[in-house]
mmCIF file of all heavy atoms in Angstrom:
data_model
loop_
_atom_site.group_PDB
_atom_site.id
_atom_site.type_symbol
_atom_site.label_atom_id
_atom_site.label_comp_id
_atom_site.label_asym_id
_atom_site.label_seq_id
_atom_site.Cartn_x
_atom_site.Cartn_y
_atom_site.Cartn_z
ATOM 1 N N SER A 153 93.214 148.817 136.046
ATOM 2 C CA SER A 153 93.736 147.456 136.170
ATOM 3 C C SER A 153 92.802 146.418 135.591
ATOM 4 O O SER A 153 93.093 145.236 135.639
ATOM 5 C CB SER A 153 93.959 147.118 137.649
ATOM 6 O OG SER A 153 92.714 146.927 138.297
ATOM 7 N N GLY A 154 91.655 146.808 135.103
ATOM 8 C CA GLY A 154 90.677 145.860 134.582
ATOM 9 C C GLY A 154 89.498 145.710 135.519
ATOM 10 O O GLY A 154 88.357 145.935 135.143
ATOM 11 N N SER A 155 89.724 145.353 136.765
ATOM 12 C CA SER A 155 88.633 145.204 137.725
ATOM 13 C C SER A 155 88.495 146.421 138.629
ATOM 14 O O SER A 155 87.482 146.595 139.305
ATOM 15 C CB SER A 155 88.855 143.956 138.592
ATOM 16 O OG SER A 155 90.061 144.084 139.332
ATOM 17 N N GLY A 156 89.512 147.247 138.647
ATOM 18 C CA GLY A 156 89.465 148.443 139.474
ATOM 19 C C GLY A 156 90.302 149.532 138.831
ATOM 20 O O GLY A 156 91.034 149.290 137.868
ATOM 21 N N ALA A 157 90.194 150.727 139.352
ATOM 22 C CA ALA A 157 90.950 151.842 138.783
ATOM 23 C C ALA A 157 91.290 152.850 139.866
ATOM 24 O O ALA A 157 90.572 152.971 140.870
ATOM 25 C CB ALA A 157 90.161 152.518 137.671
ATOM 26 N N VAL A 158 92.381 153.539 139.640
ATOM 27 C CA VAL A 158 92.798 154.653 140.504
ATOM 28 C C VAL A 158 92.770 155.910 139.643
ATOM 29 O O VAL A 158 93.276 155.908 138.522
ATOM 30 C CB VAL A 158 94.211 154.437 141.069
ATOM 31 C CG1 VAL A 158 94.617 155.625 141.937
ATOM 32 C CG2 VAL A 158 94.280 153.148 141.865
ATOM 33 N N ILE A 159 92.162 156.963 140.159
ATOM 34 C CA ILE A 159 92.058 158.215 139.412
ATOM 35 C C ILE A 159 92.613 159.352 140.269
ATOM 36 O O ILE A 159 92.102 159.617 141.358
ATOM 37 C CB ILE A 159 90.597 158.526 139.035
ATOM 38 C CG1 ILE A 159 89.954 157.334 138.329
ATOM 39 C CG2 ILE A 159 90.526 159.768 138.161
ATOM 40 C CD1 ILE A 159 88.460 157.485 138.117
ATOM 41 N N ALA A 160 93.655 159.985 139.788
ATOM 42 C CA ALA A 160 94.214 161.164 140.454
ATOM 43 C C ALA A 160 93.640 162.398 139.781
ATOM 44 O O ALA A 160 93.920 162.653 138.601
ATOM 45 C CB ALA A 160 95.739 161.145 140.371
ATOM 46 N N TRP A 161 92.830 163.147 140.518
ATOM 47 C CA TRP A 161 92.171 164.324 139.950
ATOM 48 C C TRP A 161 93.115 165.517 140.024
ATOM 49 O O TRP A 161 93.727 165.778 141.053
ATOM 50 C CB TRP A 161 90.879 164.604 140.710
ATOM 51 C CG TRP A 161 89.962 163.429 140.726
ATOM 52 C CD1 TRP A 161 89.762 162.548 141.744
ATOM 53 C CD2 TRP A 161 89.124 162.980 139.647
ATOM 54 N NE1 TRP A 161 88.853 161.583 141.374
ATOM 55 C CE2 TRP A 161 88.449 161.827 140.092
ATOM 56 C CE3 TRP A 161 88.893 163.455 138.355
ATOM 57 C CZ2 TRP A 161 87.550 161.132 139.298
ATOM 58 C CZ3 TRP A 161 87.991 162.764 137.553
ATOM 59 C CH2 TRP A 161 87.335 161.625 138.022
ATOM 60 N N VAL A 162 93.210 166.243 138.922
ATOM 61 C CA VAL A 162 94.203 167.307 138.791
ATOM 62 C C VAL A 162 93.527 168.669 138.716
ATOM 63 O O VAL A 162 92.589 168.866 137.945
ATOM 64 C CB VAL A 162 95.069 167.081 137.525
ATOM 65 C CG1 VAL A 162 96.158 168.146 137.436
ATOM 66 C CG2 VAL A 162 95.689 165.682 137.544
ATOM 67 N N ASP A 163 94.000 169.588 139.527
ATOM 68 C CA ASP A 163 93.507 170.959 139.538
ATOM 69 C C ASP A 163 94.674 171.916 139.285
ATOM 70 O O ASP A 163 95.824 171.629 139.651
ATOM 71 C CB ASP A 163 92.874 171.314 140.883
ATOM 72 C CG ASP A 163 91.617 170.517 141.141
ATOM 73 O OD1 ASP A 163 90.853 170.271 140.198
ATOM 74 O OD2 ASP A 163 91.398 170.122 142.309
ATOM 75 N N ALA A 164 94.365 173.048 138.688
ATOM 76 C CA ALA A 164 95.381 174.087 138.496
ATOM 77 C C ALA A 164 95.492 174.894 139.783
ATOM 78 O O ALA A 164 94.505 175.402 140.304
ATOM 79 C CB ALA A 164 94.997 174.993 137.330
ATOM 80 N N TYR A 165 96.689 174.977 140.310
ATOM 81 C CA TYR A 165 96.951 175.758 141.515
ATOM 82 C C TYR A 165 98.206 176.579 141.253
ATOM 83 O O TYR A 165 99.265 176.035 140.984
ATOM 84 C CB TYR A 165 97.154 174.836 142.715
ATOM 85 C CG TYR A 165 97.435 175.550 144.015
ATOM 86 C CD1 TYR A 165 96.456 176.330 144.627
ATOM 87 C CD2 TYR A 165 98.679 175.446 144.630
ATOM 88 C CE1 TYR A 165 96.714 176.986 145.825
ATOM 89 C CE2 TYR A 165 98.944 176.087 145.821
ATOM 90 C CZ TYR A 165 97.962 176.864 146.409
ATOM 91 O OH TYR A 165 98.214 177.513 147.595
ATOM 92 N N GLU A 166 98.053 177.895 141.297
ATOM 93 C CA GLU A 166 99.149 178.801 140.944
ATOM 94 C C GLU A 166 99.690 178.454 139.553
ATOM 95 O O GLU A 166 100.897 178.426 139.312
ATOM 96 C CB GLU A 166 100.259 178.731 142.000
ATOM 97 C CG GLU A 166 99.798 179.228 143.370
ATOM 98 C CD GLU A 166 100.919 179.213 144.392
ATOM 99 O OE1 GLU A 166 101.983 178.609 144.089
ATOM 100 O OE2 GLU A 166 100.747 179.803 145.465
ATOM 101 N N LYS A 167 98.735 178.142 138.638
ATOM 102 C CA LYS A 167 99.022 177.859 137.234
ATOM 103 C C LYS A 167 99.870 176.600 137.029
ATOM 104 O O LYS A 167 100.508 176.421 135.979
ATOM 105 C CB LYS A 167 99.709 179.059 136.573
ATOM 106 C CG LYS A 167 98.853 180.313 136.554
ATOM 107 C CD LYS A 167 99.562 181.456 135.854
ATOM 108 C CE LYS A 167 98.687 182.715 135.824
ATOM 109 N NZ LYS A 167 99.354 183.840 135.117
ATOM 110 N N LYS A 168 99.874 175.721 138.013
ATOM 111 C CA LYS A 168 100.598 174.468 137.903
ATOM 112 C C LYS A 168 99.662 173.307 138.290
ATOM 113 O O LYS A 168 98.709 173.507 139.043
ATOM 114 C CB LYS A 168 101.832 174.470 138.813
ATOM 115 C CG LYS A 168 102.877 175.497 138.415
ATOM 116 C CD LYS A 168 104.073 175.447 139.357
ATOM 117 C CE LYS A 168 105.124 176.474 138.964
ATOM 118 N NZ LYS A 168 106.294 176.438 139.881
ATOM 119 N N PRO A 169 99.918 172.087 137.761
ATOM 120 C CA PRO A 169 99.045 170.951 138.076
ATOM 121 C C PRO A 169 99.312 170.390 139.472
ATOM 122 O O PRO A 169 100.443 170.031 139.798
ATOM 123 C CB PRO A 169 99.400 169.933 136.987
ATOM 124 C CG PRO A 169 100.825 170.231 136.633
ATOM 125 C CD PRO A 169 100.973 171.726 136.772
ATOM 126 N N TYR A 170 98.253 170.345 140.244
ATOM 127 C CA TYR A 170 98.334 169.789 141.590
ATOM 128 C C TYR A 170 97.217 168.756 141.765
ATOM 129 O O TYR A 170 96.253 168.708 140.996
ATOM 130 C CB TYR A 170 98.177 170.885 142.645
ATOM 131 C CG TYR A 170 99.441 171.655 142.936
ATOM 132 C CD1 TYR A 170 99.887 172.647 142.074
ATOM 133 C CD2 TYR A 170 100.195 171.398 144.082
ATOM 134 C CE1 TYR A 170 101.054 173.362 142.335
ATOM 135 C CE2 TYR A 170 101.358 172.107 144.359
ATOM 136 C CZ TYR A 170 101.782 173.091 143.479
ATOM 137 O OH TYR A 170 102.926 173.786 143.749
ATOM 138 N N CYS A 171 97.358 167.944 142.795
ATOM 139 C CA CYS A 171 96.352 166.925 143.105
ATOM 140 C C CYS A 171 95.962 167.044 144.568
ATOM 141 O O CYS A 171 96.820 167.210 145.441
ATOM 142 C CB CYS A 171 96.912 165.531 142.817
ATOM 143 S SG CYS A 171 95.795 164.178 143.241
ATOM 144 N N ARG A 172 94.664 166.965 144.829
ATOM 145 C CA ARG A 172 94.203 166.965 146.217
ATOM 146 C C ARG A 172 93.165 165.870 146.473
ATOM 147 O O ARG A 172 92.624 165.774 147.576
ATOM 148 C CB ARG A 172 93.640 168.327 146.609
ATOM 149 C CG ARG A 172 92.405 168.754 145.858
ATOM 150 C CD ARG A 172 91.854 170.039 146.437
ATOM 151 N NE ARG A 172 91.579 169.928 147.853
ATOM 152 C CZ ARG A 172 91.090 170.920 148.591
ATOM 153 N NH1 ARG A 172 90.853 172.086 148.045
ATOM 154 N NH2 ARG A 172 90.836 170.742 149.869
ATOM 155 N N LYS A 173 92.878 165.074 145.424
ATOM 156 C CA LYS A 173 91.923 163.982 145.602
ATOM 157 C C LYS A 173 92.290 162.799 144.722
ATOM 158 O O LYS A 173 92.560 162.963 143.532
ATOM 159 C CB LYS A 173 90.504 164.456 145.288
ATOM 160 C CG LYS A 173 89.439 163.381 145.522
ATOM 161 C CD LYS A 173 88.039 163.972 145.583
ATOM 162 C CE LYS A 173 87.590 164.549 144.288
ATOM 163 N NZ LYS A 173 86.162 164.963 144.332
ATOM 164 N N ILE A 174 92.296 161.604 145.322
ATOM 165 C CA ILE A 174 92.576 160.373 144.588
ATOM 166 C C ILE A 174 91.431 159.399 144.849
ATOM 167 O O ILE A 174 91.085 159.131 146.000
ATOM 168 C CB ILE A 174 93.907 159.739 145.039
ATOM 169 C CG1 ILE A 174 95.050 160.740 144.890
ATOM 170 C CG2 ILE A 174 94.203 158.477 144.220
ATOM 171 C CD1 ILE A 174 96.361 160.259 145.495
ATOM 172 N N SER A 175 90.839 158.894 143.778
ATOM 173 C CA SER A 175 89.714 157.957 143.892
ATOM 174 C C SER A 175 90.165 156.550 143.523
ATOM 175 O O SER A 175 90.916 156.351 142.566
ATOM 176 C CB SER A 175 88.567 158.370 142.954
ATOM 177 O OG SER A 175 88.069 159.639 143.286
ATOM 178 N N TYR A 176 89.689 155.596 144.305
ATOM 179 C CA TYR A 176 89.901 154.176 144.032
ATOM 180 C C TYR A 176 88.505 153.580 143.847
ATOM 181 O O TYR A 176 87.648 153.726 144.727
ATOM 182 C CB TYR A 176 90.615 153.484 145.192
ATOM 183 C CG TYR A 176 91.966 154.074 145.529
ATOM 184 C CD1 TYR A 176 92.076 155.293 146.206
ATOM 185 C CD2 TYR A 176 93.147 153.415 145.178
ATOM 186 C CE1 TYR A 176 93.316 155.844 146.517
ATOM 187 C CE2 TYR A 176 94.388 153.959 145.493
ATOM 188 C CZ TYR A 176 94.463 155.166 146.157
ATOM 189 O OH TYR A 176 95.696 155.711 146.469
ATOM 190 N N ILE A 177 88.267 152.902 142.720
ATOM 191 C CA ILE A 177 86.901 152.480 142.431
ATOM 192 C C ILE A 177 86.856 151.082 141.819
ATOM 193 O O ILE A 177 87.716 150.713 141.012
ATOM 194 C CB ILE A 177 86.211 153.491 141.499
ATOM 195 C CG1 ILE A 177 84.740 153.148 141.294
ATOM 196 C CG2 ILE A 177 86.933 153.601 140.162
ATOM 197 C CD1 ILE A 177 83.938 154.248 140.626
ATOM 198 N N SER A 178 85.862 150.300 142.251
ATOM 199 C CA SER A 178 85.603 148.995 141.658
ATOM 200 C C SER A 178 84.769 149.190 140.403
ATOM 201 O O SER A 178 83.641 149.668 140.467
ATOM 202 C CB SER A 178 84.842 148.097 142.645
ATOM 203 O OG SER A 178 84.266 146.984 141.983
ATOM 204 N N LYS A 179 85.290 148.808 139.256
ATOM 205 C CA LYS A 179 84.556 148.986 138.013
ATOM 206 C C LYS A 179 83.352 148.047 137.933
ATOM 207 O O LYS A 179 82.304 148.405 137.405
ATOM 208 C CB LYS A 179 85.484 148.747 136.836
ATOM 209 C CG LYS A 179 86.540 149.818 136.684
ATOM 210 C CD LYS A 179 87.591 149.422 135.679
ATOM 211 C CE LYS A 179 86.981 149.144 134.327
ATOM 212 N NZ LYS A 179 88.005 148.728 133.339
ATOM 213 N N ASP A 180 83.509 146.832 138.446
ATOM 214 C CA ASP A 180 82.417 145.862 138.360
ATOM 215 C C ASP A 180 81.183 146.346 139.120
ATOM 216 O O ASP A 180 80.064 146.301 138.612
ATOM 217 C CB ASP A 180 82.863 144.504 138.917
ATOM 218 C CG ASP A 180 83.900 143.844 138.027
ATOM 219 O OD1 ASP A 180 83.937 144.178 136.825
ATOM 220 O OD2 ASP A 180 84.666 143.005 138.528
ATOM 221 N N ILE A 181 81.380 146.803 140.351
ATOM 222 C CA ILE A 181 80.240 147.257 141.152
ATOM 223 C C ILE A 181 79.716 148.583 140.628
ATOM 224 O O ILE A 181 78.513 148.847 140.644
ATOM 225 C CB ILE A 181 80.633 147.372 142.643
ATOM 226 C CG1 ILE A 181 81.097 146.005 143.167
ATOM 227 C CG2 ILE A 181 79.464 147.877 143.475
ATOM 228 C CD1 ILE A 181 81.535 146.017 144.616
ATOM 229 N N ALA A 182 80.607 149.423 140.113
ATOM 230 C CA ALA A 182 80.195 150.747 139.643
ATOM 231 C C ALA A 182 79.232 150.667 138.466
ATOM 232 O O ALA A 182 78.494 151.615 138.209
ATOM 233 C CB ALA A 182 81.418 151.570 139.253
ATOM 234 N N LYS A 183 79.211 149.558 137.747
ATOM 235 C CA LYS A 183 78.280 149.411 136.631
ATOM 236 C C LYS A 183 76.829 149.510 137.099
ATOM 237 O O LYS A 183 75.941 149.862 136.322
ATOM 238 C CB LYS A 183 78.503 148.064 135.941
ATOM 239 C CG LYS A 183 79.813 147.956 135.197
ATOM 240 C CD LYS A 183 79.977 146.573 134.593
ATOM 241 C CE LYS A 183 81.318 146.436 133.883
ATOM 242 N NZ LYS A 183 81.501 145.075 133.321
ATOM 243 N N GLU A 184 76.580 149.195 138.379
ATOM 244 C CA GLU A 184 75.216 149.180 138.900
ATOM 245 C C GLU A 184 74.824 150.510 139.537
ATOM 246 O O GLU A 184 73.733 150.639 140.071
ATOM 247 C CB GLU A 184 75.075 148.061 139.941
ATOM 248 C CG GLU A 184 75.508 146.696 139.438
ATOM 249 C CD GLU A 184 75.425 145.657 140.543
ATOM 250 O OE1 GLU A 184 74.497 145.744 141.368
ATOM 251 O OE2 GLU A 184 76.284 144.767 140.589
ATOM 252 N N LEU A 185 75.717 151.490 139.482
ATOM 253 C CA LEU A 185 75.541 152.659 140.336
ATOM 254 C C LEU A 185 75.313 153.972 139.608
ATOM 255 O O LEU A 185 75.736 155.016 140.070
ATOM 256 C CB LEU A 185 76.781 152.811 141.222
ATOM 257 C CG LEU A 185 77.122 151.581 142.052
ATOM 258 C CD1 LEU A 185 78.380 151.834 142.848
ATOM 259 C CD2 LEU A 185 75.990 151.220 142.975
ATOM 260 N N ASN A 186 74.634 153.954 138.479
ATOM 261 C CA ASN A 186 74.430 155.199 137.737
ATOM 262 C C ASN A 186 73.759 156.265 138.591
ATOM 263 O O ASN A 186 74.143 157.428 138.607
ATOM 264 C CB ASN A 186 73.609 154.931 136.480
ATOM 265 C CG ASN A 186 74.386 154.096 135.477
ATOM 266 O OD1 ASN A 186 75.607 154.140 135.458
ATOM 267 N ND2 ASN A 186 73.688 153.327 134.671
#
Side-chain angles (χ1 to χ4, degrees):
S153 72
S155 61
V158 179
I159 308 171
W161 304 101
V162 183
D163 294 322
Y165 180 67
E166 296 183 348
K167 298 182 179 181
K168 295 180 180 180
Y170 278 78
C171 177
R172 64 174 304 180
K173 183 164 66 173
I174 304 172
S175 298
Y176 301 75
I177 186 168
S178 164
K179 291 169 58 181
D180 291 336
I181 300 179
K183 291 178 182 178
E184 306 176 36
L185 305 178
N186 292 333

